[in-house]
Amino acid sequence: MGTALAAGQAWIGRHAMNSDGVSYLDLSQAYLRRDWRAALNAYWSPLYSWALAAARLVAGRSGLEDFALAHVLNFGIFLAAFACFDRFLLRLIRFTRRQASDRLSAEPLSDWALLVVGYATFLWSSFTLIDLRLVTPDLLLAAFAYLAGSLLLDVRLPETRWPTFAALGIALGFGYLAKAPMFLLSPCYFTMAVLLAKPGHRLRGAGVMVLAFLVVSGPFVLALSRQKGRLTFGDSGRLNYAWFVNGVPHRHWQGDAGKNGVPIHPTRRVLDSPPVYEFRTPIGGTYPFWYDPSYWYEGVRPHFELFGQLAQIARNGRLYWAMFSNIHARSLMHAGNVSLVASPLLLFGLLLCLALGSRPRGLSIRDSWFLLIPSALALVLFSMVHVESRYIAAFAVIGYLAVLAPIRLPAAAVPLLRNAMVLLSFAACALVAVDLWRAHAIPDPSENADSTLGQELQRMGILPGDRIASLNYSNRGASASAHRMEASIVAEIYSAGGTDDEALFWNSDEATRSRVLHAFADAGAVAVLAHNPPPEARDWITAGRTGYSVHLLDPADRAGVRLREEGSQGAQPRK
């Protein structure tokens, strides 16, 4: 059933593409053309783009377009994550049985009940917290988190040898290559493994484990550090800390009197009212600003702020509560799917088991402390910076099962709770299935809008390799359309504070709007995208039913831009 649900979700989202996915697709292209300078990126971790590049090679000339190929890859990653989770769950059950009490008055849930609950929790987290329709590496990270958890359980076995430690180091190394936060969590896993190992194996196991981790992760860390001129394992964490804790603008930071550092090469603000930013060079990609944010934010200085940190922890704490209790989930998580109701169902079952756990020795959560600590640390680390449900999905599942599996229950209560947990698990899976059916029966028109927009732009004479501009922040959809037709977005209007960017343009006088369009032309754009031009706007062409309108810039201005570029002797764009 899980495989069918995954295939259904991948199929439903086959035309959809998020802005992060566009950047990963661009990176995979850079690797395929062996443009190592452009491929090395301090913000986006490399493993997912390597997988996309490999998928392109395997697909060859199959005719499968980029977006569909990415969703096929997501389905393959789901199968790998399912296998890793299966390994984790079976070893957790085996470990629980070894730790079971000899008392007849208390016993854990049956193996088959734990299997049902475990698989239901995995499916719920994969489809609801992560969502296969998103082109992100979060499910890839989840696979390595499950694998690392299963290897920790192996380390505790008396027959464990050094290959298990090596495998744990390799799994954590690839977990880091999937997403950078695993680099910070790896020392915790190392510590747990050393504490679990037999005294005679601890020193050798630690050495083998760390060496294996460094062999996998070290080359990328060295390459990044050389590129940045400082020791770093990635800049995603420091940038998110600056954005969410220090209050640095999320987009187009121009400096703030040295409070958070001084930007070395920010995007170029070419007009003040309305604020127009140009970022044509030196970064390439479909949307250069989001292709490598670490370049544009070079010089930012994240620093500890007590009140800012406490405020962010409080915000993320409310989000955790919403995530697992479904209270105000729509407003906090921007999610409208009924499968979120599964989270309080599963939470209720866990709390019921905890409440009825026999005392005082029956509650044996202390047996799984080595799984709970890394999971709890992951939730704490994300709570200090930025939380999205897909970030913590795997760690939440591991923590949930690490609490549930060792609980000892009164023998008389086991049948009732077993049946209740199984019913709750089936209800959770049913809710996920209902969401998939609704997505198929009532498709989101925005998922096909980007595909149609690309076709409309081509009909207007915009060619692959052309540049376009936007009256809105382009991460809201235009980047996917540009990628489909191999164009690039080089300029946009952006104002912080939630102001309607496009309204700033339409509310300006004719002379100001003309200056904006000339600024776009100077940036090399051949067309401008808009969502809501007023009926009286001239020279704006409605792009079918996409919700976009297009203004083609003056051909003479565009020719002048090309002549200036051909005669320029400056730095070449980083493609």
Side-chain angles (χ1 to χ4, degrees), residues 186-475:
S186 293
C188 180
Y189 281 93
F190 295 155
T191 303
M192 297 300 103
V194 169
L195 293 176
L196 291 172
K198 293 186 297 184
H201 292 170
R202 287 176 179 173
L203 185 59
R204 179 183 298 178
V208 169
M209 186 166 47
V210 173
L211 179 61
F213 175 79
L214 293 178
V215 166
V216 174
S217 63
F220 189 73
V221 172
L222 291 175
L224 276 187
S225 300
R226 182 179 179 183
Q227 181 197 66
K228 293 296 183 181
R230 52 183 166 81
L231 183 62
T232 179
F233 61 88
D235 284 354
S236 60
R238 64 194 304 270
L239 286 184
N240 277 280
Y241 195 90
W243 292 334
F244 290 99
V245 178
N246 297 145
V248 173
H250 286 60
R251 307 292 180 258
H252 302 298
W253 177 55
Q254 304 294 297
D256 43 20
K259 176 184 176 183
N260 294 296
V262 178
I264 295 175
H265 26 63
T267 55
R268 294 166 285 277
R269 183 163 176 157
V270 295
L271 283 180
D272 289 328
S273 182
V276 175
Y277 297 90
E278 178 266 315
F279 36 85
R280 162 170 102 237
T281 60
I283 302 296
T286 300
Y287 182 35
F289 174 75
W290 202 235
Y291 180 84
D292 187 1
S294 70
Y295 173 83
W296 305 109
Y297 279 82
E298 191 68 51
V300 71
R301 190 181 67 247
H303 56 282
F304 178 76
E305 290 184 9
L306 178 60
F307 293 108
Q309 184 66 85
L310 292 176
Q312 188 62 13
I313 291 174
R315 282 191 292 269
N316 289 327
R318 292 193 297 270
L319 181 56
Y320 280 145
W321 173 249
M323 197 180 300
F324 298 115
S325 69
N326 200 30
I327 304 299
H328 305 305
R330 287 177 184 266
S331 60
L332 286 174
M333 298 178 64
H334 306 287
N337 49 4
V338 297
S339 58
L340 283 172
V341 180
S343 56
L345 289 179
L346 295 171
L347 182 62
F348 172 76
L350 176 63
L351 294 177
L352 187 61
C353 289
L354 287 172
L356 295 180
S358 58
R359 299 172 300 175
R361 295 173 52 198
L363 188 59
S364 302
I365 296 176
R366 64 179 181 275
D367 293 338
S368 57
W369 59 271
F370 58 93
L371 294 173
L372 288 171
I373 291 177
S375 298
L377 179 61
L379 269 63
V380 169
L381 285 177
F382 283 113
S383 73
M384 296 179 66
V385 185
H386 177 54
V387 170
E388 291 185 28
S389 61
R390 57 191 174 94
Y391 296 170
I392 55 91
F395 303 106
V397 170
I398 292 172
Y400 179 88
L401 294 176
V403 172
L404 178 65
I407 293 177
R408 306 291 179 263
L409 300 164
V414 170
L416 174 62
L417 290 178
R418 178 190 62 206
N419 295 335
M421 292 299 295
V422 169
L423 287 174
L424 291 175
S425 300
F426 277 115
C429 291
L431 290 170
V432 172
V434 167
D435 267 339
L436 290 175
W437 178 83
R438 290 177 61 196
H440 179 69
I442 312 173
D444 183 356
S446 65
E447 292 187 351
N448 290 322
D450 295 322
S451 174
T452 307
L453 177 59
Q455 297 170 5
E456 293 291 333
L457 292 174
Q458 288 178 330
R459 290 194 189 100
M460 296 176 193
I462 299 173
L463 304 174
D466 278 344
R467 295 164 176 162
I468 57 180
S470 174
L471 296 186
N472 290 280
Y473 170 50
S474 302
N475 255 13

Side-chain angles (χ1 to χ4, degrees), residues 104 111 116 123 159 350 429 444 452 454 480 503 507 541:
L104 297 178
D111 292 357
V116 171
L123 295 177
E159 62 271 19
L350 176 63
C429 291
D444 183 356
T452 307
N507 293 334
I541 307 169

